[in-house]
Amino acid sequence: TCWCYSSFTQTMSKHTDAAAEVLLERKGCAGVITLNRPKFLNALNLSMIQQIYPQLKKWEQDPETFLIIMKGAGEKAFCAGGDIRVISENTKTNPKMVQDFFREEYMLNNAIDSCLKPYIALIHGITMGGGVGLSVHGQFRVATEKSLFAMPETAIGLFPDVGGGYFLPRLQGKLGYFLALTGFRLKGRDVYTAGIATHFVDSEKLGMLEDDLLALNSPSKENIADVLETYHTKSKIDQDKSFILEEHMDKINSWFSANTVEEIIENLQQDGSSFALEQLKVINKMSPTSLKITLRQLMEGSSKTLPEVLTMEYRLSQACIGGHDFHEGVRAVLIDKDQNPKWKPANLKEVTDEDLNNHFNSLGSNDLKF
C-alpha cells in the first residue's frame, strides 16, 4: 500500500524464492514471523501476506502457541511498506492481483487487531505504510532508537491506509492528522512517545528480549507484559529527551482542527512561524486529491470501528489505483526519481466534492466484508 523507503530494482519479486520471503517458525512458546526481504527493506508483497495470514490464524487456535512475534530481517527495516511499485505496474495487466493485494492486506491488518494471542511487533528500523499495518494493530509494539516511522502516502497519490483512518485520529490531539497529511517522520523514542509503540528497548538488547520471551513457560498476557515492561524500564537511550513535536503540539492541535485542507493551509499561512511554513511547503508538494481524501478518511475514521475503516479504505484504494495521481506519484518517486510529480487535478480547488465523494462510494458486491 505504501511505498518502500528506498526505490526498488527491476528484479523485485520475480527472482526471489517466494517461500523464503517470509519465515514462519515455532520457537519456544511462540510463533515467530520474520519478514525476510532485507534487500528491499522487507517490503510486503501479496505472496507474503498469503503466507502470514493462514499461519497467524493457525497459531491463534494452537493451545501450545502462547504468543506471536513479528519482526523484520536485517538491521535496516522492520517493513518499509507495501511493494507498491509492483502494484502500479500490475494495475492494467493484472487487476485481480492488485485487488487481492489490498483486500488481503487489510484482512491481515484486521486479523492482527483481533488476534486472541498476545502479538508483539519488534519495529526496529524503518516502519512505514504497510509495515505500520503489520504492527500498530497488535497488542504490543516495541520500538528501538533505530525505529523510523512515517505514513508518507500523500506524496505518491495515495492515503495512509492499512487502518490509518482508525489509529491516526486516535493519537494525542491532532497529531495523527499532522502525520497523515505531511508524512512527517518520527524517530527512536518519539515513536513510543507518540503512541505508535507501546514499549521502547535499546536495540542491543532486542535479541535478549526475544530470547526471554521465547523462554517463558506457558505465559499469560501479564507475564509477557512484565518482560516487556522490565526491558522498557531499563532502556536508557534518549530517556530524558522531550518529544520532537512537544513545543509545537498546541499549534498542531489548533491548525489541524480545521475541517478542510484549505483551512489548514490558511492556518499555517497565518501563523507564519518557520515551523508552520516548513509544513506548508511540504503539504503544497502533496497530491491535492490525496490530501482531501486523507482528511476526510481520518475525520470519518475517528468514530468507526477498524473493520468499518478498512472497508472504507478498500473503496479508497480502488479509486486511487484507477486514477492518475497514484501512478504518477510512483513514477516520480520510485521509477524516474525526478521527485516532480504532475498531479491532476493540480490544485485543491479543482478537486471537487463530487470527485471526493466518488472515492468513498460503495463498491457493492466488491466491497471488503468482514
Side-chain angles (χ1 to χ4, degrees):
T1 19
C2 321
W3 86 96
C4 195
Y5 183 74
S6 77
S7 47
F8 304 118
T9 63
Q10 287 299 332
T11 53
M12 267 218 86
S13 28
K14 294 178 191 112
H15 304 300
T16 48
D17 170 16
E21 292 179 340
V22 57
L23 309 176
L24 305 162
E25 302 166 289
R26 266 300 267 106
K27 287 184 180 178
C29 66
V32 182
I33 302 167
T34 308
L35 306 169
N36 193 33
R37 299 177 74 201
K39 284 199 181 83
F40 303 112
L41 303 178
N42 301 321
L44 188 65
N45 62 29
L46 181 58
S47 88
M48 292 161 78
I49 295 165
Q50 289 174 337
Q51 291 172 73
I52 295 166
Y53 183 88
Q55 189 62 70
L56 184 69
K57 290 294 186 190
K58 253 188 215 136
W59 281 335
E60 193 176 17
Q61 297 305 321
D62 173 25
E64 297 302 301
T65 303
F66 290 87
L67 68 143
I68 293 163
I69 294 173
M70 172 77 78
K71 63 181 194 170
E75 282 301 303
K76 281 194 178 151
F78 166 68
C79 171
D83 203 336
I84 61 114
R85 178 167 175 171
V86 166
I87 298 300
S88 181
E89 285 168 357
N90 280 278
T91 300
K92 288 193 169 67
T93 52
N94 191 356
K96 186 178 183 311
M97 185 277 267
V98 174
Q99 287 172 3
D100 289 348
F101 176 83
F102 286 103
R103 187 177 288 273
E104 295 182 37
E105 183 184 28
Y106 296 177
M107 299 280 289
L108 176 56
N109 300 147
N110 190 59
I112 290 167
D113 176 72
S114 61
C115 186
L116 300 170
K117 300 280 167 80
Y119 178 100
I120 304 162
L122 304 177
I123 54 173
H124 174 57
I126 298 160
T127 304
M128 295 185 182
V132 178
L134 294 178
S135 51
V136 78
H137 304 297
Q139 195 172 3
F140 301 110
R141 292 92 64 187
V142 181
T144 73
E145 76 283 1
K146 299 261 173 32
S147 297
L148 177 61
F149 162 94
M151 293 300 278
E153 291 81 3
T154 55
I156 52 155
L158 262 181
F159 58 95
D161 65 339
V162 297
Y166 182 81
F167 80 85
L168 288 164
R170 285 166 175 79
L171 298 177
Q172 56 180 294
K174 294 291 174 179
L175 175 62
Y177 291 77
F178 168 74
L179 296 173
L181 294 169
T182 63
F184 189 90
R185 293 175 178 182
L186 295 172
K187 300 184 179 80
R189 200 178 275 268
D190 286 338
V191 178
Y192 163 74
T193 314
I196 305 294
T198 56
H199 296 80
F200 180 88
V201 172
D202 300 348
S203 64
E204 61 174 27
K205 297 283 196 305
L206 211 51
M208 283 167 62
L209 166 63
E210 192 180 339
D211 290 345
D212 283 355
L213 289 168
L214 298 179
L216 290 169
N217 190 2
S218 308
S220 65
K221 189 180 101 181
E222 288 69 32
N223 299 146
I224 293 162
D226 286 347
V227 172
L228 292 169
E229 197 52 45
T230 303
Y231 274 83
H232 173 78
T233 309
K234 286 182 182 162
S235 76
K236 294 285 176 269
I237 296 175
D238 290 338
Q239 213 172 20
D240 305 319
K241 203 172 133 253
S242 66
F243 183 44
I244 187 155
L245 295 169
E246 191 57 52
E247 58 178 310
H248 304 297
M249 272 319 295
D250 288 345
K251 286 190 161 185
I252 285 171
N253 293 341
S254 159
W255 299 330
F256 289 84
S257 291
N259 290 325
T260 66
V261 180
E262 288 90 340
E263 285 172 71
I264 291 171
I265 285 175
E266 201 175 306
N267 290 343
L268 294 167
Q269 279 167 337
Q270 282 183 343
D271 182 280
S273 64
S274 63
F275 180 74
L277 296 176
E278 211 176 308
Q279 304 323 310
L280 183 63
K281 202 168 129 191
V282 171
I283 287 175
N284 280 330
K285 288 195 175 114
M286 303 305 190
S287 154
T289 302
S290 289
L291 290 170
K292 286 201 174 183
I293 294 167
T294 298
L295 182 57
R296 177 161 158 192
Q297 172 206 358
L298 267 60
M299 287 168 72
E300 292 198 7
S302 67
S303 58
K304 289 184 188 295
T305 63
L306 181 63
E308 287 168 345
V309 164
L310 291 167
T311 298
M312 166 178 72
E313 291 180 355
Y314 184 71
R315 293 169 180 173
L316 295 176
S317 75
Q318 298 312 291
C320 286
I321 58 178
H324 168 270
D325 281 7
F326 168 56
H327 304 286
E328 173 60 9
V330 171
R331 181 207 63 74
V333 175
L334 294 181
I335 298 171
D336 300 338
K337 301 192 186 93
D338 56 36
Q339 310 301 329
N340 190 24
K342 299 279 181 270
W343 306 125
K344 284 183 196 165
N347 57 56
L348 289 164
K349 64 172 179 289
E350 286 174 33
V351 182
T352 65
D353 288 347
E354 190 187 0
D355 291 336
L356 196 54
N357 292 337
N358 287 339
H359 281 76
F360 288 83
N361 284 345
S362 165
L363 300 170
S365 61
N366 289 326
D367 259 341
L368 176 58
K369 293 175 191 73
F370 291 97

